[in-house]
Amino acid sequence: MSRLIVISNRVTVADGRPASSGGLAVGVLAALRETGGIWVGFGGETRETPSDTAKRFNAGRIDYATIDFTPADYQGYYNGFANSVLWPLFHYRLGLVNFTRAALGAYQRVNARFADLTLPLLKPDDTIWVQDYHLIPLGEELRKRGVTQSIGFFLHTPFPARQVFSSLPRHNLIGETLAAYDVVGFQTQSDRNNFVDYAVNNLGATRIADGRLRLGGRIFSAEAFPIGVDADNIAEFAKRSAESPSVVRLRDSLQGRDLMIGVDRLDYSKGLIERFGAFERLLTRFPERRKRVTYMQIAPPTRADVAEYSEIRAKLEASAGHINGGFAEYDWMPLRYLNRSFTRQTLAGFFRYARVGLVTPLRDGMNLVAKEYIAAQDPADPGVLVLSAFAGAAEQLDSALIVNPYDVDELAEAMDRALDMPLDERQDRWRKAMESVTRQDINHWRNNLLATLRAARIRA
Ligand code: ADP
Ligand code: F6P
């Protein structure tokens, strides 16, 4: 049987410790747990003289192969091109893009190294699945080395409008490499349409009769495969965690107050500054909420070596201090701000206990937290999801309270409305959302993409 080889920047091992934050790590782990396979990725450490073979180990049904890089290459590839160029560009933050040719060079070298070290691991009938913006050119690097197996690609972030993508200096060097894949997957139909628009109008791709694209002598398809969550497991965790020591401690500490929860990597794309501002607006405009609601924001830091991330961290600390300084009473702290990770079980229990889930990114590929919050709810007494119109998840979860995260007043009003929403309306909205989360879960995502990839190969 064909083996599945997943290649991504980050790998994560299920070892019962607090989970790795990030949609890719959570999604791929859940997807591979079922099928087994080989997961190739960065080993987490850099070396002046990196090893010329991948390090192999095994955990459960997953075989890992990890690769290391020089500190300079890792800096240029991960902090530089991936997270100071592609990440802000894909999230429509052109003002934060910091392009250098040196960083582009490191990105290309690291992708070539991924190809060199993956090559010896491959067997003729493997299916290869490359993940995310860190590794866009990897498919082409593998093809250059003679790989003929099926290769799919999935982008976990948005793909922006072509006018935005084409502002990237030398964008065609990156964009054209996507034609090396058999299937290129996007989170939403609009991301997929943005890419097709770019490929046709900027790269000169042509659409062939069956809907696929032809570019530079290759034929490939571009489709939307919205990522999902392990809905049944989260529902089960949440139910079991309801009486767990951490949830009981949280509940006791709230002393009957309503809980609003946010769980996001500490990233400028997540709209945390605006969300904190909206909470302050809630307490100002609706003073009856004071002492009756607590907002808990969990935000584990990531990408600490990129300047924008330390800047937003400092701003959030100041904002949290300002809100608590302005509104706290000796027996009530309005905002709890935690920079740490939790196990998936504990998070599921917190989600279930929270009356309101706040998922208000300024731009997001999908946002798994939105789906996890829905999956964790008690059907008899579900909470309310307040969801940004600019998260990919809003295409599917349209029964949530959809907000424009840039409008602090609208966000404060949505919080107020969610806190008072009657049971029948909460149940009605939740049922619709849960139907989508269950139907398009993580297995559906993986199976759908892999089936399309296999079909594309047979056709080829
Ligand atoms: P992104 O991929 O941009 O980080 P997503 O919402 O799609 O955003 O995915 C984030 C994932 O990381 C979710 O599965 C979420 O539960 C997990 N996560 C975020 N913060 C924490 C945390 N503090 N502890 C454990 N898991 C976390
Ligand atoms: O989902 C978007 C994403 O970029 C994932 O690809 C990645 O796992 C996650 O955010 C976390 O980013 P990082 O791996 O840089 O911590």
Side-chain angles (χ1 to χ4, degrees):
M1 201 185 124
S2 160
R3 299 180 313 170
L4 179 58
I5 317 288
V6 171
I7 315 176
S8 60
N9 171 64
R10 191 179 284 284
V11 298
T12 186
V13 180
D15 55 7
R17 283 183 293 181
S20 225
S21 328
L24 185 155
V26 171
V28 171
L29 182 64
L32 273 179
R33 216 182 247 140
E34 190 100 341
T35 53
I38 300 183
W39 192 351
V40 183
F42 172 52
E45 276 175 28
T46 55
R47 275 177 234 286
E48 286 302 342
T49 316
S51 164
D52 53 14
T53 52
K55 179 176 152 200
R56 305 296 303 270
F57 60 96
N58 164 277
R61 301 182 64 186
I62 307 179
D63 290 318
Y64 290 85
T66 59
I67 296 175
D68 50 20
F69 313 104
T70 64
D73 269 358
Y74 189 70
Q75 164 66 24
Y77 144 79
Y78 177 78
N79 293 321
F81 198 73
N83 288 319
S84 300
V85 179
L86 294 181
W87 181 268
L89 182 81
F90 284 0
H91 290 83
Y92 289 79
R93 300 293 290 271
L94 279 170
L96 302 181
V97 170
N98 182 11
F99 175 87
T100 63
R101 286 197 179 180
L104 173 60
Y107 179 77
Q108 289 169 319
R109 265 194 311 282
V110 164
N111 271 269
R113 186 167 158 74
F114 259 103
D116 285 335
L117 272 69
T118 301
L119 202 59
L121 309 174
L122 298 179
K123 291 191 178 161
D125 59 352
D126 285 343
T127 300
I128 303 163
W129 187 9
V130 176
Q131 309 283 331
D132 229 354
Y133 61 99
H134 313 88
L135 300 179
I136 293 172
L138 177 55
E140 183 165 284
E141 292 296 333
L142 289 167
R143 297 281 183 230
K144 278 188 208 161
R145 288 160 179 75
V147 171
T148 54
Q149 291 89 330
S150 334
I151 318 182
F153 176 81
F154 185 77
L155 184 67
H156 290 253
T157 66
F159 190 90
R162 74 184 177 92
Q163 292 81 354
V164 173
F165 187 73
S166 59
S167 62
L168 171 68
R170 322 184 97 191
H171 59 85
N172 55 319
L173 286 185
I174 304 295
E176 279 166 2
T177 63
L178 283 166
Y181 295 100
D182 297 292
V183 176
V184 179
F186 296 92
Q187 294 280 25
T188 65
Q189 201 56 38
S190 64
D191 295 320
R192 180 257 173 206
N193 293 345
N194 284 344
F195 171 71
V196 172
D197 187 28
Y198 165 73
V200 170
N201 291 299
N202 291 71
L203 300 178
T206 49
R207 292 173 220 253
I208 60 172
D210 62 6
R212 289 183 296 164
L213 294 170
R214 185 197 302 274
L215 177 64
R218 284 198 55 87
I219 293 179
F220 66 107
S221 62
E223 289 183 36
F225 301 93
I227 194 170
V229 297
D230 196 355
D232 294 344
N233 257 326
I234 294 171
E236 189 54 37
F237 282 160
K239 203 165 153 190
R240 274 198 267 132
S241 292
E243 291 305 321
S244 69
S246 31
V247 175
V248 169
R249 272 175 58 197
L250 172 64
R251 189 175 66 204
D252 290 350
S253 72
L254 289 167
Q255 299 182 314
R257 297 189 175 99
D258 291 327
L259 176 67
M260 300 202 294
I261 194 168
V263 177
D264 310 75
R265 277 180 313 101
L266 210 171
D267 194 299
Y268 52 78
S269 64
K270 300 293 181 182
L272 294 171
I273 300 280
E274 292 74 6
R275 200 184 300 165
F276 280 20
F279 181 56
E280 182 177 4
R281 192 67 55 90
L282 175 83
L283 300 177
T284 311
R285 276 188 51 197
F286 305 95
E288 64 282 9
R289 293 283 168 212
R290 294 183 196 169
K291 296 185 75 171
R292 288 181 39 214
V293 62
T294 295
Y295 164 29
M296 180 162 77
Q297 178 62 51
I298 299 174
T302 49
R303 308 175 191 168
D305 296 328
V306 178
E308 283 73 21
Y309 287 78
S310 17
E311 280 162 23
I312 192 186
R313 188 169 183 181
K315 283 188 191 156
L316 286 170
E317 281 164 6
S319 175
H322 169 77
I323 293 169
N324 282 334
F327 293 94
E329 296 287 347
Y330 58 87
D331 58 351
W332 171 60
M333 188 69 82
L335 173 60
R336 298 182 185 184
Y337 179 47
L338 292 74
N339 293 135
R340 52 160 293 195
S341 290
F342 289 91
T343 62
R344 310 219 41 80
Q345 286 83 341
T346 303
L347 271 191
F350 288 174
F351 284 142
R352 190 177 181 99
Y353 189 70
R355 173 90 4 262
V356 179
L358 298 174
V359 178
T360 58
L362 303 179
R363 191 65 64 173
D364 213 328
M366 176 53 63
N367 198 294
L368 294 184
V369 169
K371 296 184 172 185
E372 289 165 0
Y373 179 78
I374 292 295
Q377 295 309 299
D378 176 358
D381 187 17
V384 180
L385 175 65
V386 175
L387 179 61
S388 163
F390 309 128
E395 272 194 13
Q396 296 165 295
L397 306 182
D398 56 359
S399 66
L401 282 185
I402 304 291
V403 292
N404 180 333
Y406 292 97
D407 185 342
V408 168
D409 277 296
E410 184 181 321
L411 200 39
E413 285 157 11
M415 290 174 181
D416 186 60
R417 181 171 169 204
L419 286 163
D420 272 348
M421 191 177 283
L423 177 63
D424 54 352
E425 183 179 351
R426 281 189 277 130
Q427 283 179 323
D428 193 38
R429 288 173 179 272
W430 174 79
R431 257 194 305 268
K432 289 180 184 136
M434 188 60 180
E435 190 277 321
S436 152
V437 168
T438 318
R439 187 165 38 81
Q440 297 194 295
D441 69 357
I442 190 74
N443 296 323
H444 178 267
W445 174 66
R446 178 203 56 225
N447 295 344
N448 203 5
L449 200 144
L450 292 180
T452 311
L453 188 52
R454 287 182 185 127
R457 202 61 194 165
I458 291 165
R459 224 164 19 173

